[in-house]
Amino acid sequence: MAIDKATVVKIAHLARIKVPEADQEHLAGELNTILAFVEQLNQVDTSGVEPMTSVTAHRLRRRPDQV
């Protein structure tokens, strides 16, 4: 998916961010670079890899469930 200047304007409007017209073309290029990187990450084979919430395994301390 390629992002053009009109899409940048729409995203900026939805996010309530003022983006000067001079910066819109540059921002479109930046967003396209980010999306290309995400597509590259989607190509990585992650089958057999367990999902994790943190890089270090830890358990939360729990209190007794008492009334």
Side-chain angles (χ1 to χ4, degrees):
M1 174 182 175
I3 294 186
D4 58 352
K5 192 174 173 182
T7 307
V8 169
V9 171
K10 184 176 180 179
I11 292 170
H13 174 73
L14 291 172
R16 308 267 196 282
I17 299 172
K18 183 177 180 181
V19 178
E21 189 161 343
D23 295 339
Q24 292 172 359
E25 195 66 41
H26 176 70
L27 187 56
E30 292 286 326
L31 291 172
N32 281 321
T33 302
I34 292 169
L35 289 177
F37 181 69
V38 170
E39 285 297 320
Q40 185 179 2
L41 289 176
N42 283 334
Q43 295 174 2
V44 175
D45 180 23
T46 58
S47 59
V49 177
E50 283 190 43
M52 59 183 188
T53 57
S54 175
V55 293
T56 58
H58 62 285
R59 293 187 49 89
L60 296 176
R61 287 183 270 170
R62 298 179 188 255
R63 62 175 173 79
D65 190 17
Q66 300 173 353
V67 178

